[in-house]
Amino acid sequence: MNALGIQLGLSSLWAFLVALFAVPSIIYIAHLKNMLDTPNVRTVHESLTPRLGGVAVFAGFMSALTIFAPLNNGVQQLLAGCIVLFFVGLKDDLVSISVAKKFVGQLLATGVVMIMADVRITSFQGILGIQELPIGISYAFTFFAIVGITNAINLIDGLDGLAGSIVLIIVSTFGYYFYRYGGDAFQNYVFVSVCVVGGMLGFLRYNFHKASIFMGDTGSLVCGFIVSILTIQFIEMGLKVGQPFGSSAPSVAVGILFVPLFDTLRVFIVRMMAGRSPFSPDKNHVHHRILAMGFQQIGTVILLGLLNIVVILFVINFAYLGNTLLIAMLVAFSLLLSVFLGVYHSRAERQRVAS
């Protein structure tokens, strides 16, 4: 095993152990100080549960990354952005803040990474015939992508272990490709990936059904932000290194993020078609629909995890088809899935409606 492999193993282990040992203390303090999430109409859980699990993930990730990883190529700015979002999420978990304040936090974090480290999507690589983007459009589109992906991860955090499992699958996939093909320009993003994986595994030990702690916005905003930066760097790696998917990198990235992107777009469209704000909360997420079919929480998490893995394997194996065809196939699959989720009701659900 080479030196890089040992370093990666140590950083992941460090993040895992910090998160694993931090969670019980956080649970204890949250119960002591009554910082608990109360069940309501939208939530699936039934008992008072702390929602500060993101603090443990962040502690593991942050300490491992600063000890073991080279902080060049934008990783330092990524950390700065994570710190901003950590405090935004922490405040929201403790006292609840407005969407506007959350947005300002995301604006700051994104600005640090885009302006200070020049992390941005520079080309559409042939999608709709567009190649190099003018600098203004590049900044605007990158901002939209980061905020969109951050919130997609935040929105899918609705079941025990769901957001954590999806983040694990996505980050592991990106990490593997950064490790194999990253070279000098992108290889330190492997450290970002393995530190998230370590921290998340330590946290998930307490987060699967029945969870004794939730990730909360502290975790989902930070993880969503990290995923968005990894996505942008993965797309740019396709452009600059030419590996592993060349100009198909954007559509492969969309496939890797399939479940959170599909869920977010679907609920936004459904809400707007019903004449409501896309941000008005409801029980129409993919996981709510699958639960309504009669699946249990663990079954739903496994099903969505498998769905994401299947789509990832599909886009990786068919990357040679190019962006336009791949994205068209993903859109067609999304439409079919939406129709199925909208039409299918379990027998139990039908009986309940009939009675």
Side-chain angles (χ1 to χ4, degrees), residues 128-205:
L128 305 173
I130 303 165
Q131 294 290 342
E132 183 86 14
L133 293 171
I135 189 132
I137 293 172
S138 167
Y139 277 122
F141 185 77
T142 304
F143 174 70
F144 176 74
I146 293 176
V147 171
I149 294 168
T150 303
N151 286 301
I153 300 291
N154 188 14
L155 285 171
I156 205 158
D157 184 23
L159 287 187
D160 297 349
L162 178 58
S165 305
I166 297 290
V167 166
L168 265 185
I169 292 165
I170 291 169
V171 170
S172 305
T173 309
F174 284 140
Y176 169 76
Y177 287 108
F178 286 129
Y179 179 72
R180 284 287 304 274
Y181 306 103
D184 292 340
F186 296 99
Q187 201 158 50
N188 58 341
Y189 282 90
V190 188
F191 283 96
V192 176
S193 304
V194 296
C195 293
V196 173
V197 168
M200 195 54 80
L201 285 171
F203 162 71
L204 279 174
R205 152 78 178 76

Side-chain angles (χ1 to χ4, degrees), residues 317-341:
N317 286 305
F318 292 95
Y320 64 85
L321 294 172
N323 284 318
T324 311
L325 203 53
L326 265 185
I327 287 176
M329 289 163 102
L330 288 172
V331 169
F333 177 59
S334 301
L335 289 170
L336 282 172
L337 196 56
S338 288
V339 170
F340 177 72
L341 288 170

